[in-house]
Amino acid sequence: MRDRRQRRGRVASVGVAGIAVVGGLVGTGAIGAAGSPLTPGTITPVAAANTKATGFARSDVLSRELEETPVAKGSDAIENPTSAHPYYGYDGDGPEVPAPGDVPADGHIVEATKTEPDKNTYLILGGQRGPDPHYDYGTHFLFQGHEGSGEITRVNLDADAAHRVTLLASTDASGAPLPLIDGSTWDPWARRLLFTSEEGTDGGVWQSTLDGHVQDVSGVFGRASYEGVQNDSDGNVWLVEDTGGSTGAVNDHAKQPNSFIYRFEPREVHDLTKGGKLQVLQVRSLAHRGQPIAFHAGQADADILSQDVRDLHTYGKTFATRWVTIHDTATDGDEPFDANGLAKAARGTPFKRPENAQFRPGTQFREFYFDETGDTDARSQANSGYGGYGSIMALSQSSPSSDRGVLRPFYEADQEHSSFDNVTFLSSNHVALVQDAGDTLHTQANALDSAFVFDVTRSYGAPHAPPPVRMLAQGRDASATLDSRLGAFPGFNNAGDNEITGIHASDGDPGTAGILGASVPRIFSDPGWRLFYTGQHGDNVTYEITPKLG
C-alpha cells in the first residue's frame, strides 16, 4: 500500500456445489491464446497500460480470455451498519459524492472517507452466522480489513444484497478502535484470521475469530509497519514490513532501504498468544566478505547507492542468508516492542519497501517470493540498478524453519513493470503481481496500474527475455477521476487514482492443506480455485476474475 510517511476442515462438496454453474462453463473448454485449455501461461497479454488523462475515466482491460465480476461494491450497504461504518467502501463522515461546487479545505470534508478494503482472504466454511439469526449465510466468504478505516468485513458470496456485507469488528476485545488494516490471512492451527497494520509504531498484528472477536497480539509480534502475512507448513508466521526510509540529501528522490522480512516461530501453533521467537532475515554481503548487509543510521545517501544494494539488484548474484532472533517472549516478555528498531540493532537486512510475499506452491515451503515496491518516482536516483523501481526477490531454504538459505533477485523492475505490491501464485510456475505506482508515477509515466503474470522458471535477466504478461490494465472509475482532481486541494481526505490490491487465489480450504503454497493452484481450469482482487480508491469494488463466457 502507499507509504504513509508520505501522507499514507474444508467443506468440499458444498464448495463445488456453490460454484457449479461456473464449474460447468469452465469445464466446457475455456481456451487460451495457443488453442489449449486456459491456464495462466496461455492468456493473451494486454498490449499496454491505460493512460492517465485529466478529467477522463478509463475502463479496466483484461486479457481477452478473462472477465471480472463485482462481488462487493463500495456503495453496498452493510447489513449491520454503524453511524461510522454504513457502507462497504464509505465511512459515514460525508456524502458519497461532493455537492456541486463544493471543494475541500482543512477541516471541511466534502466527501465520505473511502474505507479502502484491502487484502482478501477466501474461505469455505460451514455454520457461519450473522446479524440476522434466521438467514442462511451460505458457505463461501471473503474477509478483509480496510486500509482507510479501522474495520473488518466479511463478504458473504452466497448471500442476497441485503446480507451481502457484514461488519465483523471495528474495535478489539478491549474496546480500542482497530487500526488501519492492510494484510490478512487465515491461520489454520490457531483458527484465527490474522490482520496487519502498517502504521509504524502503532502498527502490528491483530487476530480475530471468525465472528469478529479481535485481539491485539503485538506484544508477541511487535510494533512495525507489517503488511504481508503468510503461514508456512510448520506453523511459523512470515511478515513483510513496508516502512519508507529517509530520502538522501544528494539522492533527494530516493529512499534509504528501511524495511525488513520477519519470521515468527510460535511456542504453541494452536495459540499464538503463548508467544515465541521473532526473527529478522539477514543477508550476507558479497562486497564486504560476508558481513551482514545492514542499515546505517544517518547515512541515507551511502545506503541508497551502496555496492550491497546494487548487488542485491543484479541478475545472477546469490547471497547467503540466516535468521536472527530479535525477540523471545520467554525471556523478553510480552509487552509491545519496536520490531523495526530491534531488526536494525541485530543487523538485519533492510529492503526498499517490500510489501507482500507468498510461498511457491509445490516446493514444500522451501521457496519464498517477496516484492519491493521501491521509490515510486521516475526521478529517483536509485532507479538505475539500485532497486528504485522495485524488484522481486526469491529466498530458498532447505525447510521453512531452516535458519539458513540463499537469496537471489528474480526480477529487476523498470518503469513499465514497477512498484509491485500484492502477490499470488496462479500455478506452481506462474505468479501474479500487481502495481501500486501511485498518482505521482502514474502522471510521470502517463500510465495507470497493471497486473502482471511472471513465469518463475524463466530467467528475466537473460538477453532478449520476453517481458511478463500483462493480465489486467486497470482503468480509473469516475469517482477516482474526481478524487484525483480534488487531491490538489489541501485537506482532501481520499486518494486519487484507483489501485489494484488484495489479489488472492485460493480454493478456500480452511485446513492446513489450504495454506497458500500448500496445494498447487489451478486457476482458470478448476472452478474450485477462485481469483479475487479489489479496485481500491474511487468506487472501491472487489472483483472476481473468471474465464470469459462464450
Side-chain angles (χ1 to χ4, degrees):
M1 300 309 107
R2 61 182 176 274
D3 182 354
R4 294 188 180 277
R5 291 178 180 249
Q6 291 182 322
R7 2 180 336 192
R8 89 158 199 160
R10 185 179 182 189
V11 189
S13 60
V14 175
V16 173
I19 47 178
V21 174
V22 175
L25 290 167
V26 173
T28 59
I31 302 299
S36 59
L38 189 64
T39 70
T42 61
I43 59 173
T44 303
V46 177
N50 269 307
T51 56
K52 174 175 177 172
T54 302
F56 288 88
R58 295 284 187 263
S59 298
D60 294 346
V61 181
L62 285 88
S63 297
R64 70 186 186 194
E65 299 88 1
L66 306 176
E67 60 187 356
E68 59 186 21
T69 304
V71 299
K73 300 177 182 178
S75 57
D76 287 348
I78 290 176
E79 66 166 334
N80 54 332
T82 66
S83 59
H85 307 293
Y87 298 100
Y88 178 63
Y90 296 88
D91 279 343
D93 56 353
E96 293 178 13
V97 179
D102 202 5
V103 295
D106 289 329
H108 175 56
I109 294 178
V110 301
E111 179 182 85
T113 299
K114 310 294 179 73
T115 70
E116 301 184 12
D118 210 309
K119 190 71 171 72
N120 295 293
T121 295
Y122 170 61
L123 294 172
I124 301 174
L125 302 162
Q128 298 305 296
R129 300 185 181 277
D132 185 344
H134 306 294
Y135 188 75
D136 180 357
Y137 284 86
T139 55
H140 300 81
F141 303 95
L142 201 60
F143 298 85
Q144 57 278 122
H146 291 243
E147 187 185 11
S149 178
E151 60 184 297
I152 296 169
T153 52
R154 184 186 73 193
V155 177
N156 310 309
L157 296 169
D158 302 327
D160 60 19
H163 300 86
R164 190 67 166 178
V165 182
T166 303
L167 177 65
L168 289 184
S170 58
T171 61
D172 67 20
S174 73
L178 293 182
L180 306 183
I181 296 172
D182 299 276
S184 70
T185 197
W186 169 250
D187 187 319
W189 289 277
R191 303 292 294 178
R192 296 291 188 272
L193 292 156
L194 301 182
F195 294 96
T196 58
S197 174
E198 61 170 343
E199 295 300 295
T201 54
D202 293 322
V205 180
W206 280 253
Q207 67 173 16
S208 175
T209 60
L210 290 168
D211 59 0
H213 181 84
V214 183
Q215 184 178 8
D216 182 353
V217 286
S218 298
V220 172
F221 290 93
R223 298 287 188 201
S225 289
Y226 294 136
E227 184 168 339
V229 55
Q230 298 290 329
N231 283 103
D232 65 30
S233 55
D234 289 345
N236 303 315
V237 180
W238 294 53
L239 293 157
V240 178
E241 184 184 23
D242 174 14
T243 301
S246 302
T247 55
V250 176
N251 302 298
D252 56 347
H253 294 292
K255 291 188 175 182
Q256 185 178 22
N258 191 44
S259 305
F260 299 88
I261 307 297
Y262 302 86
R263 183 179 68 185
F264 177 72
E265 295 185 337
R267 184 182 303 168
E268 170 52 64
V269 295
H270 300 290
D271 186 353
L272 298 178
T273 66
K274 298 292 186 182
K277 297 179 180 179
L278 183 70
Q279 301 176 312
V280 67
L281 185 68
Q282 186 182 82
V283 181
R284 296 293 180 149
S285 170
L286 301 178
H288 299 96
R289 299 184 179 181
Q291 292 298 308
I293 300 175
F295 178 90
H296 300 96
Q299 300 182 41
D301 280 308
D303 277 1
I304 288 168
L305 298 184
S306 72
Q307 185 60 49
D308 285 328
V309 171
R310 184 171 184 84
D311 287 345
L312 280 170
H313 298 93
T314 301
Y315 286 117
K317 294 186 181 292
T318 59
F319 304 81
T321 67
R322 70 180 184 121
W323 290 98
V324 179
T325 298
I326 60 175
H327 188 273
D328 185 347
T329 54
T331 56
D332 301 321
D334 58 3
E335 290 297 314
F337 57 93
D338 179 359
N340 181 277
L342 291 181
K344 290 173 179 173
R347 304 187 75 190
T349 296
F351 294 91
K352 292 185 73 69
R353 293 185 59 208
E355 297 203 48
N356 277 280
Q358 202 168 114
F359 287 94
R360 180 185 176 189
T363 66
Q364 289 73 53
F365 294 88
R366 294 193 295 255
E367 291 185 27
F368 183 72
Y369 285 73
F370 65 90
D371 60 50
E372 292 181 299
T373 301
D375 294 325
T376 62
D377 191 331
R379 300 165 297 178
S380 171
Q381 293 87 356
N383 283 341
S384 180
Y386 294 87
Y389 280 128
S391 74
I392 306 171
M393 299 283 182
L395 174 66
S396 300
Q397 299 183 168
S398 60
S399 74
S401 294
S402 175
D403 285 335
R404 298 184 183 274
V406 175
L407 182 76
R408 64 181 174 89
F410 165 68
Y411 185 80
E412 292 308 309
D414 54 28
Q415 182 171 281
E416 182 179 1
H417 315 87
S418 70
S419 312
F420 300 123
D421 190 335
N422 280 208
V423 181
T424 196
F425 271 89
L426 306 179
S427 73
S428 59
N429 294 334
H430 295 93
V431 61
L433 288 100
V434 302
Q435 293 180 298
D436 177 14
D439 290 17
T440 297
L441 188 52
H442 290 169
T443 301
Q444 293 168 337
N446 189 28
L448 300 174
D449 288 338
S450 292
F452 296 98
V453 178
F454 293 81
D455 183 340
V456 298
T457 67
R458 179 169 291 163
S459 175
Y460 286 97
H464 310 297
V469 172
R470 181 181 281 105
M471 178 176 70
L472 163 66
Q474 189 181 38
R476 186 173 64 178
D477 60 47
S479 179
T481 304
L482 174 61
D483 290 350
S484 181
R485 175 182 175 275
L486 293 176
F489 292 88
F492 184 58
N493 56 316
N494 287 315
D497 300 338
N498 290 119
E499 171 195 332
I500 308 171
T501 194
I503 192 165
H504 175 66
S506 171
D507 66 352
D509 187 341
T512 55
I515 300 170
L516 300 179
S519 300
V520 176
R522 295 175 56 83
I523 293 296
F524 309 142
S525 60
D526 181 343
W529 283 88
R530 302 178 72 174
L531 179 62
F532 302 92
Y533 85 92
T534 297
Q536 212 180 52
H537 310 154
D539 289 338
N540 283 288
V541 180
T542 297
Y543 296 96
E544 180 171 8
I545 296 177
T546 58
K548 185 178 291 184
L549 307 183

